[in-house]
Amino acid sequence: MAQKQLFQANLVYTTGPETLLTLPQAYVAVTDGRIESVSSALPPGFEKMTVRQFTGGFLIPPFTDLHVHAPQIANIGLGYDCELLQWLERYTFPEESRYQDLAYAKLQYRRFIHLLWQYGSLYSVVFATIHRPATELLMQLASQAGLAAYIGKVNMDRNSPAYLCESPAESFRETVAWLQDWQRDQARYGAVKPILTPRFVPSCTPELQRQLGRLARQYQLPVQSHLSENREEIAWVHALDPEAENYASVYDQAGLLGQTPTIMAHCIWNTEQELQLLRRRGVYVAHCPTSNNNLASGIAPVARYLREGLNMGLGSDLSGGHTPGMAEVQRQALQASRLYHTLLDPQSPSLSLTNVFYLATRGGGSFFGQVGSFEPGFSFDALWIDDAGLDAGPERSLEERLSRYIYCGDDRQIKERWRAGQLLPEPFKP
Amino acid sequence: MAQKQLFQANLVYTTGPETLLTLPQAYVAVTDGRIESVSSALPPGFEKMTVRQFTGGFLIPPFTDLHVHAPQIANIGLGYDCELLQWLERYTFPEESRYQDLAYAKLQYRRFIHLLWQYGSLYSVVFATIHRPATELLMQLASQAGLAAYIGKVNMDRNSPAYLCESPAESFRETVAWLQDWQRDQARYGAVKPILTPRFVPSCTPELQRQLGRLARQYQLPVQSHLSENREEIAWVHALDPEAENYASVYDQAGLLGQTPTIMAHCIWNTEQELQLLRRRGVYVAHCPTSNNNLASGIAPVARYLREGLNMGLGSDLSGGHTPGMAEVQRQALQASRLYHTLLDPQSPSLSLTNVFYLATRGGGSFFGQVGSFEPGFSFDALWIDDAGLDAGPERSLEERLSRYIYCGDDRQIKERWRAGQLLPEPFKP
């Protein structure tokens, strides 16, 4: 028999990049974890149900973190005097190598999952490391916490330190073993699924890239990687493959650019030609403003991307980004976009509050299907924002209270987290 | 008889823009609220004293917020879809007009002082409103909380809405009455002092500016205002006074630019000539990166200012800035400076972690004298940072723990606040 639930709350959500809805004390009727209706009056068929009321504050859809490196959690806030390539070598690679130790992985990955829960990123797309056992552990922990996620075992077989470099054959073999483990045991993994994760062109041989492209087709798996984050990185890609038309086309030739659902992180310095390709293939751009600010990578012209119809969401990019908090990521997205307008291109539009809130919820959420809104058919997922501590005052509109939460809020205002109709209890309390 | 105190703690502080000191478990000997010595062994003359030990975490000097608008506290996080002039009209001026009501002023100013305490800005330089009674109330509240501050009754006698505009005579008369009130009752104001506060050139007639310049000399009072925040604002100043050489020289001609100690907020778009004048006059630049990001004002080239020897500190600039938290202001200063380097001038240096920490503590603190460091002769002021919740791990150096605090921390890590040898209890608990 269908499980029915009825909720009443102030709702704040988007139905598109330009459309913010604020519904005071609306009813949400839910069947089997999916929204059946949203209405100002009691919906038919639900009249006799107990209403779960969210008194005070408001509900928003949960955040989707579209790009985050779980094994860099111990490095947040460190090393931002470097740019990308130096930072990888000094900070990132040594830390990631520790994840061959499952006990260390368990300690840190429990912290990571707790942070996702704490900051309301109930959906996420995650880089793990090259290590299969630790990656499987991370997937199990995410599932135990009731989160939905795509998690990838990373592939790296060149230009990486010896302690973190696979052979092409080993990388492929371990990837297949990982996928088979998952297939055998899908029930245990809940809403957590694998995603193919070549780190980026400089650390994957063309041979491995092609093998992963074939795997993507064979298993119908999504793909994630990095694209055009840093100018030095782009020059390196060109030096490695001078024949390629551009950075994006390297992935494309390997079957890793939208042949299956694909996320490319950063996309700061792409050419027009690359952007057309991304759009044609429906590739998702994961915009990571905190990381791009910290590592001085640049500002991606994302207001234009959005207007031109690119698929897009936001990423915390730990530990290039310093925080898992999507409120801070959203405000830095707003700031960066407005500075781009002032400093680099007065003709360009800049992101509005509605735009970034859309990106953080429905935009990124759409990678998971009907996620990130309170529309009928969508998964009933929500963060209950109790903004009393932000002193927004009762005379403020729900839109102003959202603005205050995005600019001044953090995890402290998230009072409850719901996914697929279930209240998520605190996992792995530190 | 002199009052002596002895402390032991991990110390993290600067002695100059380029010099970060990290002293594990050092002793700080204090006499009458001033530091006598800092040493690794028990200092002579203090052997028999009880040591107050700060176990775990580390001490840093408190923050100085060099530019903040107290009456805009109810507006934080709102209205950042505007640029400066539109934002003043729509958000700022209507809110400031409410401070003619002392009951409203009391409610909000208690919240403001609590926030300064909460976020560790134990020194601040503050804009109030044009209203004398509310300004005096704010000064009393700051003093009751044990904070040190310069607080200014604002002067505005042109280009302001009628409800927030004084006549030149009225503005002058009220300013003198305010100064006399303060002089009569100095003991009651503790470490809180007046500062002359012409809002900015567009809202002060030349006549009023000159009168304030004379008052500054007569009472030997410091001065604060705004300079070159926004390009539209600069064009307006030029239209108002086409004869003036530049924006800074308008203040200069009125005796408001370093003839007494002076702070100019923002200084984003200054000409070389203006910068030379600021440097010659020892004017302090209050750099406000969060505000400049939110209102898309631009990026001030402050790494160059620092190298060229300009006096400088950081400002939260509520509510152009969205947070009173100087940790977030520091990280946005770092990010903005590094983006300036990447996007606008690859030849320019960028701020280091040491640079911004210096600006937030000793740089801004020097406006108050020997403030913002743990050097002998300095006021013993400190924030006890308990970073256990940031999981920095015991293997991290104190410098790395500072970096993590600046990038990932907020008010939650500030466990105790000390000023002039006194532990400050929570004031005006909400």
Side-chain angles (χ1 to χ4, degrees):
Chain A
M1 214 183 98
Q3 202 207 332
K4 286 175 175 286
Q5 294 166 288
L6 185 61
F7 302 95
Q8 190 181 24
N10 296 319
L11 301 182
V12 181
Y13 63 107
T14 65
T15 57
E18 305 297 342
T19 313
L20 181 73
L21 295 188
T22 59
L23 305 185
Q25 288 304 304
Y27 290 98
V28 185
V30 172
T31 302
D32 290 337
R34 295 228 156 243
I35 297 172
E36 207 173 299
S37 70
V38 174
S39 54
S40 56
L42 261 175
F46 287 80
E47 292 91 345
K48 289 182 182 159
M49 291 204 54
T50 311
V51 184
R52 164 64 205 267
Q53 288 187 314
F54 297 89
T55 308
F58 52 91
L59 293 193
I60 60 174
F63 301 126
T64 290
D65 189 340
L66 213 53
H67 182 66
V68 57
H69 292 263
Q72 295 175 23
I73 188 69
N75 275 349
I76 61 172
L78 302 180
Y80 303 138
D81 49 332
C82 303
E83 285 196 25
L84 176 66
L85 301 179
Q86 196 186 38
W87 172 82
L88 285 171
E89 205 171 299
R90 284 199 201 163
Y91 288 88
T92 308
F93 291 155
E95 178 62 23
E96 290 195 8
S97 75
R98 300 181 72 174
Y99 284 76
Q100 62 192 321
D101 172 358
L102 258 186
Y104 185 74
K106 185 173 179 186
L107 175 77
Q108 296 294 354
Y109 279 160
R110 285 167 63 99
R111 286 186 53 221
F112 173 75
I113 295 297
H114 186 271
L115 283 174
L116 287 183
W117 174 89
Q118 182 181 342
Y119 282 89
S121 291
L122 308 187
Y123 291 79
S124 59
V125 186
V126 184
F127 275 59
T129 61
I130 59 168
H131 312 97
R132 179 168 56 85
T135 304
E136 293 175 356
L137 172 66
L138 176 59
M139 294 173 78
Q140 287 156 21
L141 294 172
S143 168
Q144 281 171 39
L147 304 179
Y150 287 103
I151 295 177
K153 175 214 165 313
V154 174
N155 300 99
M156 306 163 67
D157 71 338
R158 67 171 170 181
N159 295 317
S160 307
Y163 58 75
L164 205 65
C165 196
E166 311 164 294
S167 72
E170 183 189 1
S171 188
F172 181 74
R173 197 173 56 233
E174 283 294 289
T175 302
V176 171
W178 163 58
L179 295 173
Q180 289 173 342
D181 284 352
W182 173 72
Q183 283 193 320
R184 246 197 319 275
D185 216 2
Q186 278 189 45
R188 193 171 162 207
Y189 287 110
V192 177
K193 296 174 186 169
I195 182 169
L196 289 177
T197 307
R199 185 172 207 117
F200 68 154
V201 166
S203 63
C204 281
T205 58
E207 176 194 348
L208 180 57
Q209 288 177 48
R210 281 191 302 271
Q211 284 181 318
L212 294 175
R214 279 195 295 270
L215 274 186
R217 264 198 314 283
Q218 183 190 337
Y219 285 80
Q220 279 302 298
L221 285 174
V223 172
Q224 64 179 345
S225 195
H226 298 89
L227 179 62
S228 293
E229 175 176 4
N230 171 292
R231 286 179 289 194
E232 211 183 321
E233 168 212 11
I234 296 165
W236 193 12
V237 170
H238 179 68
L240 287 167
D241 191 348
E243 307 286 292
E245 218 168 325
N246 51 48
Y247 193 163
S249 69
V250 179
Y251 292 120
D252 192 43
Q253 281 160 24
L256 294 168
L257 197 81
Q259 288 84 355
T260 59
T262 299
I263 298 170
M264 286 288 155
H266 305 300
C267 298
I268 298 176
W269 302 100
N270 291 101
T271 63
E272 275 311 312
Q273 214 177 9
E274 284 179 299
L275 292 173
Q276 281 171 26
L277 183 61
L278 296 180
R279 199 163 45 239
R280 214 162 53 233
R281 291 285 172 75
V283 169
Y284 276 71
V285 171
H287 175 45
C288 305
T290 47
S291 171
N292 300 339
N293 285 343
N294 289 335
L295 297 175
S297 303
I299 302 180
V302 290
R304 193 160 60 76
Y305 294 177
L306 194 62
R307 192 166 287 191
E308 292 170 358
L310 269 164
N311 287 324
M312 194 155 58
L314 299 180
S316 70
D317 192 24
L318 299 180
S319 69
H322 55 277
T323 177
M326 295 299 282
E328 189 165 348
V329 172
Q330 285 174 84
R331 60 186 176 259
Q332 294 211 355
L334 279 158
Q335 294 175 330
S337 172
R338 286 170 56 68
L339 277 182
Y340 188 92
H341 170 85
T342 299
L343 298 176
L344 300 179
D345 181 8
Q347 305 310 317
S348 79
S350 36
L351 292 176
S352 66
L353 191 82
T354 296
N355 290 161
V356 295
F357 181 54
Y358 164 82
L359 291 175
T361 54
R362 199 181 192 282
S366 67
F367 195 76
F368 288 84
Q370 290 191 298
V371 164
S373 184
F374 294 126
E375 295 162 81
F378 275 60
S379 177
F380 178 71
D381 310 320
L383 306 179
W384 182 12
I385 304 298
D386 177 0
D387 59 345
L390 297 178
D391 289 299
E395 79 277 21
R396 297 292 184 192
S397 68
L398 283 171
E399 183 168 352
E400 286 177 312
R401 289 164 69 182
L402 175 70
S403 178
R404 165 121 349 138
Y405 174 66
I406 288 174
Y407 275 102
C408 306
D410 52 38
D411 56 303
R412 285 178 270 196
Q413 290 79 40
I414 306 179
K415 202 169 169 177
E416 288 183 4
R417 296 139 184 92
W418 291 74
R419 207 184 68 74
Q422 304 295 316
L423 177 66
L424 299 187
E426 181 171 5
F428 317 127
K429 197 173 164 124
Chain B
M1 214 183 98
Q3 202 207 332
K4 287 177 175 285
Q5 294 165 289
L6 186 61
F7 302 95
Q8 189 181 25
N10 296 319
L11 301 181
V12 180
Y13 62 108
T14 64
T15 57
E18 306 296 343
T19 313
L20 181 74
L21 296 187
T22 58
L23 305 184
Q25 288 304 304
Y27 289 98
V28 185
V30 172
T31 302
D32 290 337
R34 296 228 155 246
I35 296 171
E36 207 174 300
S37 69
V38 174
S39 54
S40 56
L42 262 175
F46 286 78
E47 292 89 346
K48 290 181 181 161
M49 292 203 54
T50 310
V51 185
R52 165 65 206 266
Q53 289 188 312
F54 297 90
T55 308
F58 52 92
L59 293 192
I60 61 173
F63 301 126
T64 290
D65 189 340
L66 213 54
H67 182 66
V68 57
H69 293 263
Q72 296 176 22
I73 188 71
N75 276 350
I76 59 172
L78 303 179
Y80 303 138
D81 48 334
C82 303
E83 284 197 25
L84 177 66
L85 301 179
Q86 196 187 38
W87 173 81
L88 285 170
E89 207 171 298
R90 285 200 199 163
Y91 288 88
T92 308
F93 291 155
E95 178 63 21
E96 290 195 8
S97 76
R98 303 182 70 174
Y99 284 76
Q100 61 191 324
D101 172 358
L102 258 186
Y104 185 74
K106 186 173 178 184
L107 176 78
Q108 296 294 356
Y109 279 161
R110 286 166 62 98
R111 285 185 55 220
F112 173 75
I113 295 298
H114 186 271
L115 283 175
L116 288 183
W117 175 89
Q118 182 181 340
Y119 283 89
S121 291
L122 308 187
Y123 292 79
S124 58
V125 186
V126 184
F127 276 58
T129 61
I130 59 169
H131 312 97
R132 178 168 55 85
T135 304
E136 293 175 356
L137 172 66
L138 176 59
M139 294 173 78
Q140 288 156 20
L141 294 172
S143 168
Q144 281 172 39
L147 303 180
Y150 286 104
I151 294 177
K153 177 216 162 316
V154 173
N155 300 99
M156 306 162 69
D157 72 337
R158 67 170 171 182
N159 296 317
S160 306
Y163 58 76
L164 204 65
C165 194
E166 312 164 291
S167 72
E170 183 189 0
S171 188
F172 181 75
R173 198 174 54 235
E174 284 294 288
T175 303
V176 171
W178 163 59
L179 296 173
Q180 289 172 341
D181 284 353
W182 173 72
Q183 283 193 321
R184 248 197 318 275
D185 216 3
Q186 280 188 42
R188 194 171 163 207
Y189 288 110
V192 178
K193 296 175 186 169
I195 181 167
L196 289 176
T197 307
R199 185 174 206 115
F200 68 154
V201 167
S203 63
C204 281
T205 58
E207 178 194 347
L208 180 57
Q209 288 178 48
R210 280 191 301 272
Q211 285 181 318
L212 294 175
R214 279 194 294 272
L215 275 185
R217 263 199 312 285
Q218 184 189 336
Y219 285 81
Q220 280 301 301
L221 287 173
V223 171
Q224 64 179 343
S225 196
H226 298 89
L227 181 61
S228 294
E229 176 177 3
N230 171 290
R231 285 179 290 193
E232 211 184 320
E233 167 212 14
I234 296 166
W236 193 13
V237 170
H238 180 67
L240 287 167
D241 192 349
E243 307 285 291
E245 218 168 324
N246 52 48
Y247 193 163
S249 69
V250 180
Y251 291 120
D252 191 43
Q253 280 160 26
L256 294 168
L257 196 82
Q259 289 84 356
T260 58
T262 299
I263 298 170
M264 286 289 156
H266 305 300
C267 299
I268 297 175
W269 302 100
N270 292 100
T271 63
E272 274 311 311
Q273 216 176 6
E274 285 179 299
L275 291 173
Q276 280 171 25
L277 183 62
L278 296 180
R279 199 163 45 239
R280 214 161 54 234
R281 290 288 173 73
V283 170
Y284 277 71
V285 171
H287 175 45
C288 306
T290 47
S291 172
N292 300 339
N293 285 344
N294 289 335
L295 297 174
S297 302
I299 302 179
V302 291
R304 191 160 60 76
Y305 293 177
L306 194 62
R307 191 167 289 194
E308 289 170 359
L310 270 164
N311 287 324
M312 194 155 60
L314 300 180
S316 70
D317 192 25
L318 299 179
S319 68
H322 55 276
T323 177
M326 296 299 282
E328 190 166 348
V329 172
Q330 286 173 83
R331 60 186 175 256
Q332 294 210 356
L334 280 159
Q335 293 175 330
S337 173
R338 286 169 56 69
L339 277 181
Y340 188 93
H341 168 87
T342 299
L343 297 175
L344 300 178
D345 182 8
Q347 304 310 316
S348 78
S350 36
L351 292 176
S352 66
L353 191 83
T354 296
N355 289 161
V356 297
F357 181 55
Y358 164 83
L359 291 175
T361 54
R362 200 180 192 281
S366 68
F367 195 76
F368 289 83
Q370 290 191 298
V371 164
S373 184
F374 294 126
E375 293 161 80
F378 275 59
S379 177
F380 178 71
D381 309 321
L383 305 179
W384 182 12
I385 304 297
D386 177 359
D387 59 344
L390 297 178
D391 289 300
E395 80 278 19
R396 298 292 184 191
S397 69
L398 284 170
E399 183 169 351
E400 286 177 312
R401 290 164 68 182
L402 176 71
S403 177
R404 168 134 328 151
Y405 174 66
I406 289 175
Y407 276 102
C408 307
D410 53 39
D411 55 303
R412 285 178 269 195
Q413 292 79 39
I414 306 179
K415 199 167 172 180
E416 288 183 2
R417 295 135 185 96
W418 292 75
R419 207 185 68 73
Q422 304 295 316
L423 178 66
L424 300 186
E426 182 171 4
F428 316 129
K429 198 174 164 125

